[in-house]
């Protein structure tokens, strides 16, 4: 695809070569994300960071990624303080905000809302999550992480076995991740969820039609057998009518050190998009795995900066210019990476 000026709305718009290009650019961002170098490639540019649903990682990492490239960030984080609460349409908001920004990241609770917004925007729009539908930048950072983690054990994505666990009905990260993995060859998906929270049937059909093996089960222990990667997710409480309904499923599937040792192969990569629900009644990914070398959750969040920098560099067409303005950093930066 031609990235210049493009909206990034769904993983369905990518071919495998597009993903390779994003990862190639992401790798060039490592010295900047690690605070070894500074660039001014986006000096003077403004990101409109519009989050109409709760977010920490996605919002802050998009903002930091833009800052790390020399750009400035304007945030709208609450429906109550935005004109949307006065009945303004997405069309009008998009027309207005795109006049103030060079690129927009948007998260919104409604499926399809970010695409609708993008139609009226005069600048590229990146989907930061549209309700339970999609979360393309998360899928890219997850895939980038999987690729690196597997490579460090001389393995690769093609032919990989992945267990995806939790609320697969409402989890937009697992929708986007499964669909982007579909671009690879011969993946085995073990989809582990309560029967009521299964992966949408259309996505399962797409995976099968693309030649992948899909096993849907409620038996977590059997599902953990013979996998390269385990990807856990939270019960998406905010998508249920009442908290009580979500409570039924909380804590149904949990991974901890003893289950990992008993059922997983050594080196099985452990992933979660975060936030993990660490309340006792849920605790889908136990703190007793925090020091485990295969726990990749904080490498995922670090990699998110690289991938988001790459998306900005590509849609704003500065991927080749980042190093032109590079200089060393002048402050103490040791020990973080
Ligand atoms: C996810 C989301 O918002 O979809 N978080 C994230 O962006 N890393 C997952 C979640 O909230 O469970």
């Amino acid at each position: 695809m031609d990235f210049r000026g493009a909206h990034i709305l769904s993983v369905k718009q990518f071919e495998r070569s597009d993903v390779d290009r994003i990862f190639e650019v992401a790798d060039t961002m490592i010295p900047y994300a690690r605070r070894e170098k500074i660039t001014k490639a986006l000096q003077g540019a403004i990101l409109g960071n519009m989050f109409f649903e709760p977010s920490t990682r996605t919002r802050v990492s998009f903002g930091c990624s833009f800052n790390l490239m020399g750009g400035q960030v304007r945030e709208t984080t609450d429906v109550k303080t935005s004109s949307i609460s006065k009945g303004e349409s997405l069309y009008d908001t998009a027309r207005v905000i795109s006049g103030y920004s060079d690129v927009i990241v948007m998260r919104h609770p409604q499926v399809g809302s970010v695409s609708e917004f993008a139609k009226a925007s005069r600048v590229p729009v990146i989907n930061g999550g549209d309700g339970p539908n999609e979360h393309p930048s998360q899928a890219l950072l997850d895939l980038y992480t999987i690729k690196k983690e597997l490579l460090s054990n001389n393995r690769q994505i093609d032919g990989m076995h992945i267990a995806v666990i939790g609320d697969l009905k409402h989890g937009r990260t697992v929708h986007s991740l499964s669909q982007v993995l579909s671009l690879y060859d011969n993946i085995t998906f073990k989809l582990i969820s309560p029967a009521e929270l299964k992966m949408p049937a259309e996505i399962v059909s797409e995976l099968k039609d693309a030649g992948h093996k899909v096993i849907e089960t409620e038996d977590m222990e059997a599902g953990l057998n013979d996998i390269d990667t385990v990807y856990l997710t939270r019960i998406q409480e905010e998508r249920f009518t009442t908290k009580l309904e979500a409570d039924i499923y909380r804590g149904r599937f949990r991974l901890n050190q003893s289950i990992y040792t008993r059922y997983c192969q050594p080196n099985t990569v452990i992933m979660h998009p975060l936030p993990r629900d660490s309340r006792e009644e849920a605790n889908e990914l136990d703190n007793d795995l925090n020091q485990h070398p295969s726990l990749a959750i904080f490498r995922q969040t670090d990699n998110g900066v690289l991938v988001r920098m790459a998306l900005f560099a590509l849609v704003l067409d500065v991927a080749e210019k980042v190093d032109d303005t590079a200089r060393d950093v002048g402050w103490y930066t040791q020990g973080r990476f």
Side-chain angles (χ1 to χ4, degrees):
M1 68 177 273
D2 183 6
F3 282 100
R4 194 167 70 136
H7 302 303
I8 306 291
L9 301 172
S10 160
V11 292
K12 286 190 186 140
Q13 69 194 89
F14 301 134
E15 292 178 20
R16 190 164 164 169
S17 58
D18 301 320
V19 174
D20 290 344
R21 176 73 183 131
I22 295 167
F23 291 177
E24 180 184 63
V25 176
D27 284 339
T28 69
M29 299 300 173
I30 292 172
Y32 304 100
R34 289 200 179 148
R35 314 305 201 265
E36 291 158 12
K37 284 192 201 168
I38 297 172
T39 175
K40 292 182 177 168
L42 288 180
Q43 189 173 39
I46 295 176
L47 164 67
N49 214 18
M50 307 187 68
F51 278 74
F52 298 123
E53 262 197 338
S55 174
T56 306
R57 269 151 292 274
T58 308
R59 178 175 59 83
V60 177
S61 73
F62 266 120
C64 288
S65 302
F66 208 74
N67 289 148
L68 282 167
M69 299 175 79
Q72 300 199 37
V73 182
R74 282 265 144 208
E75 283 199 340
T76 307
T77 53
D78 189 358
V79 179
K80 284 189 228 78
T81 55
S82 118
S83 288
I84 284 184
S85 70
K86 298 180 187 170
E88 185 170 62
S89 66
L90 284 170
Y91 176 89
D92 286 4
T93 311
R95 293 288 300 178
V96 172
I97 299 297
S98 58
Y100 303 154
S101 318
D102 296 276
V103 58
I104 294 170
V105 175
M106 190 183 191
R107 172 174 284 188
H108 192 283
Q110 234 170 284
V111 172
S113 53
V114 183
S115 300
E116 189 186 329
F117 181 92
K119 279 193 200 123
S121 170
R122 293 172 274 169
V123 299
V125 174
I126 301 178
N127 182 0
D130 60 327
N133 187 36
E134 273 230 43
H135 195 342
S137 67
Q138 180 73 39
L140 290 167
L141 78 88
D142 288 339
L143 190 63
Y144 181 82
T145 306
I146 292 172
K147 189 178 171 189
K148 289 207 158 174
E149 298 289 317
L150 293 184
L151 212 63
S152 70
N153 281 305
N154 295 317
R155 285 180 284 170
Q156 54 175 10
I157 299 176
D158 290 315
M160 173 182 75
H161 292 203
I162 183 170
V164 187
I165 306 180
D167 184 351
L168 309 186
K169 177 179 178 190
H170 303 108
R172 56 191 166 203
T173 71
V174 291
H175 299 165
S176 290
L177 177 61
S178 308
Q179 292 177 97
V180 82
L181 273 171
S182 191
L183 295 172
Y184 290 76
D185 295 330
N186 197 21
I187 309 282
T188 298
F189 291 90
K190 298 198 181 176
L191 305 178
I192 305 169
S193 70
E196 302 83 352
L197 303 181
K198 277 164 75 168
M199 182 71 85
E202 320 82 80
I203 297 181
V204 173
S205 306
E206 280 167 30
L207 299 178
K208 287 183 178 165
D209 290 348
H212 304 293
K213 188 168 173 190
V214 182
I215 298 160
E216 294 183 273
T217 177
E218 287 189 67
D219 182 350
M220 177 167 127
E221 286 155 12
L224 288 178
N225 177 37
D226 188 28
I227 51 163
D228 302 287
T229 304
V230 52
Y231 189 102
L232 295 127
T233 62
R234 168 180 80 81
I235 298 300
Q236 306 281 299
E237 180 180 322
E238 64 277 32
R239 311 285 175 222
F240 291 79
T241 340
T242 63
K243 180 178 171 298
L244 235 68
E245 261 184 79
D247 284 343
I248 301 171
Y249 305 106
R250 240 190 279 277
R252 183 86 66 92
F253 301 114
R254 298 166 187 256
L255 186 66
N256 57 30
Q257 179 70 66
S258 86
I259 294 173
Y260 183 88
T261 313
R262 192 148 12 126
Y263 298 101
C264 294
Q265 301 182 72
N267 301 330
T268 299
V269 183
I270 307 165
M271 299 181 63
H272 192 302
L274 302 182
R276 54 178 155 171
D277 187 343
S278 293
R279 288 170 290 193
E280 202 176 325
E281 62 275 24
N283 202 23
E284 65 254 3
L285 177 55
D286 200 290
N287 283 329
D288 70 0
L289 283 162
N290 279 359
Q291 305 309 320
H292 198 287
S294 295
L295 184 80
I297 58 176
F298 301 118
R299 294 191 283 280
Q300 281 173 270
T301 53
D302 283 351
N303 289 338
V305 172
L306 302 174
V307 167
R308 290 176 172 132
M309 288 176 83
L311 290 176
F312 290 133
L314 286 163
V315 301
L316 295 175
D317 200 18
V318 293
E320 311 306 330
K321 298 183 189 134
V322 172
D323 292 336
D324 294 354
T325 53
R327 66 170 173 84
D328 291 344
V329 303
W331 63 88
Y332 178 78
T333 60
Q334 302 307 304
R336 274 168 56 196
F337 295 99

